[in-house]
Amino acid sequence: MADVSHPRGDLAGHPDASEMQARYDRVLGGRDVVLVDGPVLLVGLYCAVSPWILHFAGAQSALMVHNLILGVAIALMAVGFTVAPDRMYGLSGAMCAIGVWMIISPWIVGSSPDAGVIWNNIVIGALTFLLGAMCVAAASKSRRAT
């Protein structure tokens, strides 16, 4: 019986290697923040459900609605970053602004919030700002590369 298996080797000599590399780069779109999309989604989902996790939904109804809406918005941005990164990474700066707003919102939207509510929004806001800044940095890096 003939040996029809091919030895595994380097693809550098393959005639279509440059085309395959170009296609691979085009599919990835130069995205350096693939690992950020998941945490952004998790932060958004946690923000949306945090009033019920920390049990401030009844006492802070305005802040409950606020966190629900902004959490859904952050989660939708994460989905957009994954589905259409070329279009959505322009909104990374908006994510930074949402993070800053989340930090100051307990005093503006809420009515005499307790320490748990304040720390919850500070942590969510800081994470949102940090992840947004990472997305801004990656988007500007990929724009310079093209």
Side-chain angles (χ1 to χ4, degrees), residues 30-44:
R31 294 186 51 203
D32 292 334
V33 290
V34 173
L35 297 176
V36 175
D37 296 347
V40 170
L41 178 68
L42 292 176
V43 166

Side-chain angles (χ1 to χ4, degrees), residues 1-84:
M1 185 160 221
D3 184 19
V4 293
S5 64
H6 299 287
R8 293 186 181 235
D10 190 19
L11 286 177
H14 193 280
D16 294 330
S18 61
E19 181 184 340
M20 289 187 294
Q21 183 64 41
R23 182 180 299 160
Y24 180 75
D25 291 340
R26 194 171 52 247
V27 167
L28 284 181
R31 294 186 51 203
D32 292 334
V33 290
V34 173
L35 297 176
V36 175
D37 296 347
V40 170
L41 178 68
L42 292 176
V43 166
L45 293 177
Y46 174 75
C47 180
V49 298
S50 64
W52 292 277
I53 292 174
L54 296 178
H55 304 292
F56 67 86
Q60 298 283 338
S61 60
L63 202 54
M64 174 200 68
V65 173
H66 170 269
N67 280 17
L68 177 65
I69 291 171
L70 285 182
V72 169
I74 294 169
L76 287 175
M77 287 176 77
V79 171
F81 290 158
T82 303
V83 174

Side-chain angles (χ1 to χ4, degrees), residues 33-145:
V33 290
V34 173
L35 297 176
V36 175
D37 296 347
V40 170
L41 178 68
L42 292 176
V43 166
L45 293 177
Y46 174 75
C47 180
V49 298
S50 64
W52 292 277
I53 292 174
L54 296 178
H55 304 292
F56 67 86
Q60 298 283 338
S61 60
L63 202 54
M64 174 200 68
V65 173
H66 170 269
N67 280 17
L68 177 65
I69 291 171
L70 285 182
V72 169
I74 294 169
L76 287 175
M77 287 176 77
V79 171
F81 290 158
T82 303
V83 174
D86 293 339
R87 292 182 178 192
M88 291 296 292
Y89 277 120
L91 290 177
S92 302
M95 208 165 102
C96 292
I98 290 173
V100 171
W101 173 251
M102 285 297 296
I103 292 172
I104 62 173
S105 65
W107 295 281
I108 297 172
V109 177
S111 57
S112 63
D114 63 350
V117 173
I118 292 170
W119 277 109
N120 177 62
N121 278 26
I122 288 174
V123 169
I124 291 172
L127 287 173
T128 303
F129 181 82
L130 178 68
L131 293 170
M134 290 173 65
C135 290
V136 167
S140 66
K141 179 181 168 187
S142 68
R143 283 190 195 122
R144 273 187 267 131

